[in-house]
Amino acid sequence: MRALFPDSASGEPSGLPAALGAYTIWGFLPLYLLLVRHIPPFEFVGWRIIWTLPLCLVIVALRKQFPALRQALSNPRAMLALLASATLIGINWFVYIWAITANEVYAASLGYYLNPLLNVLLGTLVLGERLSRLQWVAVAVAASAVAILAAGAITTLWISVALALSFCLYGLVRKRVPVGSLPGLTVESVLLLLPAAGIAAWYAQTPAGPAFGTDWGQSLLIAFSGVVTAVPLLLFAIAAKRMDYSTLGFIQYLAPTIVFLLGLTVFGQELRPVQLFSFLLIWTAVGIFVADLLARGRRAKAARSVAAR
C-alpha cells in the first residue's frame, strides 16, 4: 500500500487516499444510522465500542502488530494521551448518533464544517504549520460561510460545537502520540470497553431489554458498527500521521457535504436560501485551497527537476 501512494514531495507514502476513504465512509454513515435509529443512542455507542475491539484485534493479528500494541500499553505517557483521545472520540460518537437519530442532520453537518477551521487554527498555533495567502483567503471564506450557517442555527449550535471541538482535539492528540494508527485505536477501544460494557449491562436490566441478542437482524446491524467505526478511524489516524493537519482539515469538507446532501434528499430536510448560499461559499473555499495546493505542488516539482539537472 505504501508504494502505491507515494508523497510527491518526499517519497513518503501520502495520507490522501486514507483521508478520502475515511471521510467518504463518515459522509454516508447517516444511512447506516437510519437502520439503527430505534436503538437508544447511549446504548448503541456502548455496543459500537464493544464490537470495535474484536475487529481491531483481528487486524492487529493479521498485521503482526502485537509487539507495538504491548509497547503502547507499557508506555504511561502514551496511555494517558490515548485515554484523552478515547474520551474525546466517545463524546463525539454519542453526540453524532444522537443528532442523526433526532433528525438534526444539518447541525451534525455544520459541526464537521466547523472542524476544518479548528484544524487549521490548531495546525498553525500548536503544530507550527504555515498557510499561504491564498489558503488564508480560503479559511476566511469558509469561516464566513460557517458563521452564516451558525447564525440560523443558534438552538442547535451546541451540537455543532461539541462535534467540531471533540473531533478536532481527537485528531490533534492522535497526531502527536507516538503510537501507530492501529495499536492506538486498539488501546482506545480497550480503555472504553469497561464503560461500554457497563452501559450495555444497564440497558439489559431495563424493561425493553438489550438491543443486542434479541433479534438476529438487529444484532447483525449492531455488530457491523465495529466495521463502520474501526475502518474509517484507522484510515483517519493514518492520514493524520502523514499529512499536514491544516490540509487534512480541508479534505474533511467531503464528509459534511455528503451529510448535507443526505439531509436534503434522504432525510427530506428543508434547505433555506441562506443554507444554500453558505454551501456555495464553503465549496468556493475548498476550491481555492485545493487549487493553491496543486499550484504549490507543481512549483515544488519544477524546482526539484531543475535541481536534479
Side-chain angles (χ1 to χ4, degrees), residues 226-246:
V227 176
V228 298
T229 297
V231 172
L233 272 179
L234 177 58
L235 291 173
F236 172 79
I238 291 170
K241 289 284 187 181
R242 296 178 179 176
M243 301 179 68
D244 284 349
Y245 207 48
S246 305

Side-chain angles (χ1 to χ4, degrees), residues 100-204:
I100 297 299
T101 55
N103 215 35
E104 297 292 351
V105 180
Y106 287 151
S109 176
L110 175 57
Y112 290 106
Y113 277 132
L114 282 170
N115 193 16
L117 300 179
L118 293 180
N119 285 358
V120 169
L121 182 62
L122 290 181
T124 53
L125 297 181
V126 178
L127 302 178
E129 298 173 359
R130 294 184 178 181
L131 298 181
S132 68
R133 290 183 179 178
L134 268 182
Q135 289 173 343
W136 276 116
V137 170
V139 171
V141 173
S144 301
V146 170
I148 292 170
L149 279 173
I154 294 298
T155 57
T156 58
L157 190 57
W158 70 270
I159 299 173
S160 306
V161 172
L163 288 173
L165 190 59
S166 60
F167 198 72
C168 179
L169 293 175
Y170 170 78
L172 181 63
V173 172
R174 286 306 308 269
K175 186 174 179 68
R176 305 192 73 173
V177 65
V179 177
S181 306
L182 179 58
L185 178 57
T186 306
V187 172
E188 288 171 344
S189 301
V190 170
L191 292 172
L192 290 172
L193 183 60
L194 185 59
I199 293 169
W202 187 85
Y203 274 96

Side-chain angles (χ1 to χ4, degrees), residues 274-288:
V274 66
Q275 292 171 318
L276 177 59
F277 179 66
S278 299
F279 181 74
L280 294 174
L281 277 180
I282 286 169
W283 274 103
T284 299
V286 173
I288 294 171

